[in-house]
Amino acid sequence: MNIFYSVCLVLVILSMLGLLYRVWKGPSIPDRLIALDAIGVMLISAIALLSILFDTPFFIDVILLIAIMSFIGTVSFSKFIERGEIIERGSDR
Amino acid sequence: MKTNDVILQTTTKVVFFIIFLFSIHIFFAGHYTPGGGFVGGLLTTGAIVLLLLAFDLKTVQLALPFNFTVVTAIGLLLALGTAAGAIVFDVPFFTHAFDYFELPLFGKTSLHTAMLFDSGVYLVVVGSAITIIQSIGGDD
């Protein structure tokens, strides 16, 4: 069964390499942003597989933490792309 | 430019409490599992940053009416007070104490003064990080 998880880890790392190619090559900034967000998801699955391989439950917190931080980072960067400022000063609505 | 971000604001109203509860969990679990005051404080900062992203600076200051420099000062005072409280009991500086108590709802619980020190660290991290973000992000 360990071989199965190792193969899965290799596949996840290969897809991360493909996403890194998109980050490097991506013609527009949103391409790079979505690739970085997907790299976050791949990192989550890689850490889940590593926590199975190392046989420890302590990496579960790290998974949730990376998910939260990836979400906040993607939201802030897309807000920067859309409006040019991340945190608005006052309400103009 | 008037933009419509209903989806972001509605998602934030749900996700904020999930992140905040997770930060509380990671703060209290820090004694036996990975976590502690620093990561808990950073996660709480992340939750407040999500509020700042979805709404704006004025609304968040209205919702959380704390002066975050005062929060930093209270955290430093708590940590220093926990460390200095050991002197009262005639033991060296920073000596911690723990014991087991029968609490009404939790049953047999071990209470440790390192938790008070950790909550000081938590308040310092939240206060300083939010102060940095508010003073940088509030610039025009």
Side-chain angles (χ1 to χ4, degrees):
Chain A
M1 212 55 184
N2 249 350
I3 297 172
F4 175 71
Y5 295 128
S6 305
V7 170
C8 287
L9 197 58
V10 169
L11 287 179
V12 166
I13 289 170
L14 281 180
S15 61
M16 274 173 88
L17 285 180
L19 288 165
L20 272 180
Y21 173 74
R22 186 44 65 194
V23 172
W24 176 57
K25 189 79 178 176
S28 66
I29 293 178
D31 286 329
R32 295 190 167 101
L33 179 58
I34 291 173
L36 280 176
D37 195 39
I39 282 179
V41 177
M42 288 300 130
L43 213 57
I44 289 168
S45 35
I47 289 173
L49 286 168
L50 277 178
S51 115
I52 294 172
L53 278 175
F54 290 157
D55 198 14
T56 167
F58 290 140
F59 288 161
I60 307 296
D61 286 347
V62 180
I63 291 172
L64 198 47
L65 206 120
I66 289 181
I68 290 167
M69 288 302 150
S70 165
F71 174 66
I72 292 175
T74 307
V75 166
S76 56
F77 212 98
S78 48
K79 199 170 172 187
F80 177 71
I81 289 173
E82 190 192 344
R83 294 187 200 168
E85 60 176 352
I86 299 178
I87 297 173
E88 287 157 5
R89 187 153 185 79
S91 59
D92 49 352
R93 297 180 263 267
Chain B
M1 187 172 70
K2 192 166 180 173
T3 46
N4 189 3
D5 41 9
V6 176
I7 296 176
L8 178 61
Q9 290 184 352
T10 313
T11 313
T12 300
K13 281 172 194 164
V14 178
V15 168
F16 171 74
F17 291 104
I18 298 173
I19 303 177
F20 194 67
L21 274 181
F22 181 53
S23 83
I24 297 288
H25 161 257
I26 225 170
F27 169 69
F28 279 112
H31 201 71
Y32 293 113
T33 54
F38 189 77
V39 189
L42 280 186
L43 262 178
T44 308
T45 309
I48 298 173
V49 164
L50 189 61
L51 278 187
L52 282 171
L53 287 172
F55 301 96
D56 46 60
L57 209 59
K58 291 265 173 57
T59 315
V60 175
Q61 273 172 352
L62 215 64
L64 301 168
F66 308 121
N67 186 356
F68 280 96
T69 52
V70 175
V71 171
T72 312
I74 290 172
L76 279 174
L77 203 68
L78 203 59
L80 198 64
T82 312
I87 297 177
V88 179
F89 298 103
D90 207 16
V91 283
F93 191 64
F94 253 117
T95 308
H96 285 292
F98 71 98
D99 205 352
Y100 292 94
F101 294 97
E102 283 289 340
L103 294 183
L105 203 57
F106 298 101
K108 189 184 176 194
T109 317
S110 95
L111 295 181
H112 202 297
T113 51
M115 221 284 292
L116 289 174
F117 184 79
D118 224 19
S119 54
V121 173
Y122 176 89
L123 288 180
V124 167
V125 169
V126 170
S128 51
I130 293 293
T131 305
I132 290 170
I133 288 168
Q134 275 184 347
S135 53
I136 291 176
D139 254 6
D140 263 335

